Amino acid sequence: MALSVASQIDFDKSGGVVPAIAVDFANGRVLMVAYMNREAFEETVATGRACYFSRSRNRLWRKGEESGNFQVVREIRLDCDGDTILLAVEQRGDGAACAEGYESCFFRKLDGDAWRIADTRKVDPAKYGPGYGHKKSPS
Amino acid sequence: MALSVASQIDFDKSGGVVPAIAVDFANGRVLMVAYMNREAFEETVATGRACYFSRSRNRLWRKGEESGNFQVVREIRLDCDGDTILLAVEQRGDGAACAEGYESCFFRKLDGDAWRIADTRKVDPAKYGPGYGHKKSPS
């Protein structure tokens, strides 16, 4: 099943991965952008939980594997040229898709001459342990 | 102004461009994903209209330059690791962000073993002339 639908995704265009946007299923807010290779896509379809491919770690990244902030996938869309995936998810755990503890990774807004934090942190990511987040999010 | 804020965007990570997601300012729907290099970002900030970098054409792509479907930018956000931009836009013209005439490029939904069209086309892109869209969208 996932085999045939995966074949319509243009993984070759950008070296084996495509961007995958996760939005909140309830309100549509963009939570994060990560990447999927074919294996990550197929696992996501098979399990119903978002699985990405971490380019920095060079391995599958089962979202929430360290923090418990996993994502239940409610809908998957593909764009017109087949090179970007859109997931509508229920963000579980502490409700923080961002490794810095915010609901959304897009918590900074351009305000004149600076990027300013526009959201309130939902959780202190220190609770997930000292190795969590690896300084940078694992996209 | 744009110079200092652009320096916080990690254009080097993916060869000089970063993904830029455009969402509808009014309802947050994801309309499209394209790419920006530094010049496109700076033009977007300076003009308040979305300007992308077309990887296939290898030049700046002023969204709507052929179709009139330009985008007025109301808000710009940056993600936690500085490698993805989020624009909240007013989609002008025919209200179709997608070169295939749909409001959103994400008009196909995974339904069992197939991607099925889940949206209604807003406009027949043939109206923009025979060269429009270049078969593929210019991302």
Side-chain angles (χ1 to χ4, degrees):
Chain A
M1 180 265 270
L3 285 173
S4 65
V5 296
S7 68
Q8 292 176 62
I9 304 173
D10 189 355
F11 290 110
D12 294 334
K13 193 170 187 175
S14 295
V17 295
V18 296
I21 306 165
V23 303
D24 186 293
F25 177 73
N27 61 28
R29 183 176 185 190
V30 177
L31 300 175
M32 58 179 282
V33 173
Y35 291 80
M36 285 186 176
N37 62 2
R38 186 171 178 137
E39 189 182 357
F41 172 76
E42 290 178 353
E43 177 167 319
T44 298
V45 172
T47 64
R49 287 197 184 191
C51 174
Y52 303 103
F53 180 79
S54 168
R55 297 176 303 169
S56 59
R57 302 179 195 179
N58 198 37
R59 68 166 175 82
L60 290 184
W61 166 35
R62 294 171 180 95
K63 173 68 181 167
E65 62 193 5
E66 293 176 79
S67 63
N69 291 322
F70 65 91
Q71 297 173 333
V72 175
V73 177
R74 297 290 299 269
E75 185 180 281
I76 303 179
R77 288 184 177 238
L78 183 64
D79 77 342
C80 47
D81 48 6
D83 64 3
T84 309
I85 291 167
L86 180 65
L87 307 175
V89 305
E90 292 172 23
Q91 179 62 59
R92 299 293 181 86
D94 293 313
C98 179
E100 295 193 27
Y102 293 89
E103 176 186 27
S104 165
C105 293
F106 296 91
F107 58 83
R108 288 183 293 173
K109 186 159 71 170
L110 185 60
D111 179 13
D113 60 357
W115 298 103
R116 296 195 202 284
I117 294 177
D119 297 349
T120 303
R121 197 171 234 172
K122 294 198 79 165
V123 61
D124 181 349
K127 75 176 269 192
Y128 307 127
Y132 179 71
H134 305 80
K135 308 258 188 246
K136 301 276 246 175
S137 72
S139 65
Chain B
M1 181 266 270
L3 285 173
S4 64
V5 296
S7 68
Q8 292 176 60
I9 305 173
D10 190 355
F11 289 110
D12 293 334
K13 193 170 186 173
S14 294
V17 296
V18 295
I21 307 165
V23 303
D24 186 292
F25 178 72
N27 60 28
R29 183 175 186 192
V30 176
L31 300 175
M32 57 179 281
V33 173
Y35 291 81
M36 285 186 178
N37 62 3
R38 185 171 179 139
E39 189 182 358
F41 172 77
E42 291 179 352
E43 178 168 319
T44 298
V45 173
T47 65
R49 288 197 183 190
C51 174
Y52 302 104
F53 180 80
S54 167
R55 298 176 302 168
S56 60
R57 302 180 193 178
N58 196 38
R59 67 167 175 83
L60 290 184
W61 166 36
R62 294 173 180 92
K63 173 69 180 165
E65 61 193 4
E66 292 176 79
S67 64
N69 291 322
F70 65 91
Q71 297 173 333
V72 175
V73 178
R74 297 291 297 270
E75 185 181 279
I76 304 179
R77 288 184 177 238
L78 183 63
D79 78 341
C80 48
D81 48 7
D83 65 2
T84 310
I85 290 167
L86 180 65
L87 307 175
V89 306
E90 292 172 23
Q91 178 62 60
R92 298 293 181 86
D94 293 314
C98 180
E100 295 192 25
Y102 293 89
E103 176 186 29
S104 166
C105 293
F106 295 91
F107 58 83
R108 290 183 290 173
K109 187 159 72 171
L110 185 60
D111 180 14
D113 60 356
W115 298 103
R116 296 195 203 283
I117 294 176
D119 298 351
T120 302
R121 196 170 234 172
K122 294 198 79 166
V123 61
D124 181 350
K127 74 175 272 193
Y128 307 127
Y132 178 71
H134 307 79
K135 308 254 190 251
K136 299 279 245 177
S137 73
S139 65

